Amino acid sequence: MKTVKEVSKQTGISVRTLHYYDQIGLLKPAAYSEAGYRLYDDKALEILGQILYFREFDLPLKEIRGILSNPDFDRNQILKTQKVMLELERDRLNRLIDSIGRILKGEENMDFAVFSREDIQEICRASFANMSKEAREIVAKQYGSPENYQRYLLEQMSTEEARKTMAKMVEWYGGKENYMDAATHPLSAQVTEAWGKRFDAARTKLIGKKGTDVNTFEVRECVAEMEFVSKQFLRLKEMKGYMLEAAKDYRENEKLRRHIEETYGEGTSDYLAEAIEAFYQK
């Protein structure tokens, strides 16, 4: 058994901090001496080591306590997620270093459209906070807890593919600040549903033109309506890139193609792509 002062000296953690960890239920002493002093055994020191390790990742104490008290705690999964986040942060810093080097050489202007770990965490928190009650219940059932769901989102948003998508979002939203504002302050469920129905109606109208020359006024009018609805719904600034990316999805996203073809008939997905691409060629 070690006293609180001995643990403090061994780990570098202040006595005051150890007392606080005890008060909030994060790290309880293994026992107390006859004089009432806190005593820590090897198990307590092992837990303290885990706490300090997670603190290196800037995890809040409340979240660490939830992790350690969870009987289904998967240490390896947490570490994998944090590894991805650290790699993302490393890549971000490398991009900034490279960008500064190019700026110093006069090869480019300042670019601050680089997402930090905190940015991604804020987007993930907002994603959950703005869910409907029903959606939260589904998430809780599927992932076990809001924390687990947010960790899942962090991992998904930390992939190279997700990073490329977010870079495109910055372009379409006209800047990182605009994208962050839209991502963390989404429209209400009722407004989202209304815009969704309007978009479906515009697309269905375009699908009804299948077989018609995509350069006709009627077809271009349908694409223009889809563009307008998407712009208002998503609050985008630059529509051409977004719409052409949607056209690419109609051609290459197998899951989307299968849904469109099964719902509206063979050739529909390619027709949608062709109509959108033709709209932006003139």
Side-chain angles (χ1 to χ4, degrees):
M1 290 283 193
K2 295 182 181 295
T3 65
V4 68
K5 289 185 178 180
E6 290 172 332
V7 172
S8 175
K9 184 176 180 180
Q10 178 179 329
T11 63
I13 302 300
S14 70
V15 171
R16 183 176 181 179
T17 297
L18 290 169
H19 287 176
Y20 179 66
Y21 286 175
D22 181 10
Q23 291 171 6
I24 65 174
L26 181 60
L27 178 66
K28 288 292 186 180
Y32 292 88
S33 68
E34 292 183 0
Y37 294 111
R38 296 172 175 84
L39 298 174
Y40 298 84
D41 59 8
D42 291 340
K43 179 64 176 177
L45 292 176
E46 179 183 344
I47 295 173
L48 178 58
Q50 292 179 342
I51 293 170
L52 298 180
Y53 193 76
F54 285 125
R55 287 296 286 159
E56 286 293 317
F57 300 126
D58 295 325
L59 287 178
L61 294 178
K62 181 179 180 180
E63 186 169 340
I64 295 175
R65 183 175 61 190
I67 292 172
L68 297 180
S69 62
N70 185 351
D72 298 322
F73 165 54
D74 186 344
R75 180 175 180 270
N76 287 338
Q77 184 58 45
I78 299 298
L79 293 178
K80 287 178 182 178
T81 301
Q82 294 300 331
K83 180 176 180 291
V84 171
M85 293 305 301
L86 289 173
E87 288 172 345
L88 180 68
E89 182 69 6
R90 178 198 63 197
D91 293 343
R92 184 184 76 88
L93 292 174
N94 285 338
R95 290 196 300 275
L96 284 174
I97 291 170
D98 291 341
S99 179
I100 290 172
R102 290 191 295 272
I103 291 168
L104 291 174
K105 292 178 182 179
E107 296 176 0
E108 68 174 42
N109 296 320
M110 286 283 188
D111 179 12
F112 294 102
V114 183
F115 288 86
S116 68
R117 176 185 177 185
E118 289 74 21
D119 292 333
I120 296 176
Q121 288 176 324
E122 178 62 23
I123 292 172
C124 291
R125 282 194 292 268
S127 173
F128 181 80
N130 289 285
M131 282 183 176
S132 65
K133 181 180 178 181
E134 293 76 13
R136 290 189 189 186
E137 290 175 352
I138 292 172
V139 164
K141 184 176 181 180
Q142 182 174 353
Y143 294 93
S145 70
E147 292 76 19
N148 288 343
Y149 173 67
Q150 290 183 49
R151 280 194 287 272
Y152 167 78
L153 285 183
L154 282 170
E155 186 172 354
Q156 295 301 305
M157 294 182 69
S158 300
T159 63
E160 180 66 17
E161 190 63 29
R163 188 183 66 78
K164 291 178 181 179
T165 298
M166 292 173 77
K168 292 178 183 176
M169 289 292 190
V170 169
E171 178 183 346
W172 299 336
Y173 276 92
K176 173 183 171 181
E177 184 177 341
N178 291 337
Y179 172 64
M180 286 293 296
D181 182 62
T184 56
H185 299 89
L187 301 175
S188 68
Q190 293 85 352
V191 173
T192 297
E193 182 181 3
W195 280 116
K197 288 181 178 179
R198 187 168 174 180
F199 178 84
D200 286 341
R203 187 172 67 177
T204 300
K205 185 177 179 181
L206 175 58
I207 291 171
K209 304 292 182 181
K210 187 172 67 172
T212 304
D213 185 343
V214 293
N215 292 299
T216 63
F217 174 79
E218 292 80 6
V219 171
R220 293 175 63 79
E221 185 179 38
C222 292
V223 176
E225 174 68 7
M226 289 171 61
E227 181 195 65
F228 173 78
V229 174
S230 297
K231 184 174 184 178
Q232 300 303 312
F233 171 41
L234 298 172
R235 292 171 282 175
L236 300 176
K237 303 293 184 182
E238 198 283 305
M239 292 305 301
K240 181 177 179 180
Y242 171 79
M243 293 294 287
L244 288 177
E245 188 70 18
K248 182 180 178 182
D249 268 351
Y250 285 128
R251 290 196 186 281
E252 301 178 4
N253 186 318
E254 289 303 320
K255 186 176 181 180
L256 176 61
R257 284 181 63 85
R258 186 165 56 251
H259 169 71
I260 295 292
E261 303 283 305
E262 290 176 354
T263 306
Y264 299 103
E266 185 178 352
T268 304
S269 194
D270 285 332
Y271 183 77
L272 288 170
E274 186 181 352
I276 293 171
E277 289 165 350
F279 182 85
Y280 290 99
Q281 286 175 357
K282 294 185 178 181

